[in-house]
Amino acid sequence: MSTPSGARPRFAVVGNPENRRVALFADAVRAAGLPGPRVVPWAGVLRDGGADFAAEEIVRIDSPGENAGVDRLLRGTSDATRVEGSARWYAGFTAALRTLRGGIRLDDADDLAVLFDKRRCHGVLRAAGVPVPASPTSGPHGARVRGWDDVRALMREHRMPRLFVKPAHGSSASGVLAVETGGGGRIRATTSVEIAADGRLHNSLKVRRYEREADIASIVDALAPDGLHLERWLPKASLHGRVTDLRVVVVAGRATHAVVRASRTPLTNLHLGGSRGDLDAARQAVEAAGVRWADVLEVCERAAACFPRTLCVGVDLLPAVGWRRAFVGEVNAFGDLLPRLTGLPGSGAEGLDTYAAQVTAALRAHARTDPPPGPLRPHSGPLDPLARLHPLHPLHPLHPHRTGTARARTR
């Protein structure tokens, strides 16, 4: 990664200018002593057919979410609470990524296309040996779900009395159902989906339970045209009587930040009533089970290594009951929104929030002139992204194409 001799690094970000994600990243850039990044609005990208970046600009792609106008352009509806339409959103988003021209990318369009398709992402992780819940819909040859009848058939075939039904292109638990069955034909789905009087589906901040199969079937049938992903529901570990998982942010190959999410429902998302748990207590529970905490973080780094051309991802880690095993539930392209959370001890990002850690990684890569090529290697010492970057990572100076042009994948 290099810019003209003596030139100061310049950042740009594609995002929604009013969004706090953009503001937090801009704050981190300015805190590094640089001018704030050039902000390229998603609305302009979508309306104008793309955007151009200077060869030396370091470009961050941020979430297009939380903007009604952008959502309308991508999803085709002005109602931001609607659940349906995720396939159209995905098609519009991935097409828009291809219209960004030039620059040094911190995010790769091919990686993002996989990260926003849960079926493809699960298949990539599984092929790499990353522990994931069992899934009949995983990868290019997975089963396709046309509606509730298919879900029922796959539950029987794969002996999954408890499973998660997820929109393939969803985020923030939108449209996710945690389904469990019992004797006597009992069934229950826990979800944030609200069925309106006209039958349309809306996201709600209230987690609710449906116990009539007809209601569950109507939700699944409405979402199936957008694509669905099924995963076995693995019993998760708990702390203080609450179901627990972790969001772990990985920057330049290293797990730098982590937060425990605890809930009384199967959905631990913080906006759905989940709360931040005690990270020290989680680490102690892991070590009491005879497992090294570093090995838990290494599972997240292995998941992130499946996307070596993207600087930062957020990994949802599911610790199993007993804390001896952990599985990757999701890998999130925009999973770094953890305001005021500073880096893990020993991560090299101590005292830095997730955005500052990314800016630091980018600047150190910019300053490095003779990086060693080769695969990811164990880290040591302070945060040094090039010590762990695959040669095809966008920040690696030996990357064959650093301008966002098409290139062959080598996985």
Side-chain angles (χ1 to χ4, degrees), residues 111-146:
D111 283 352
L112 292 175
V114 174
L115 289 166
F116 275 99
D117 187 325
K118 298 183 193 302
R119 299 162 300 189
R120 295 176 64 190
C121 185
H122 190 283
V124 167
L125 294 171
R126 185 183 61 181
V130 176
V132 290
S135 169
T137 57
S138 177
H141 304 297
R144 289 298 177 257
V145 178
R146 295 161 295 184

Side-chain angles (χ1 to χ4, degrees), residues 334-370:
F334 305 129
D336 54 1
L337 183 61
L338 297 172
R340 298 179 298 280
L341 182 71
T342 54
L344 294 165
S347 69
E350 297 91 338
L352 305 177
D353 68 11
T354 59
Y355 299 96
Q358 292 170 71
V359 171
T360 297
L363 293 178
R364 288 185 177 172
H366 171 268
R368 184 83 171 242
T369 59
D370 187 24

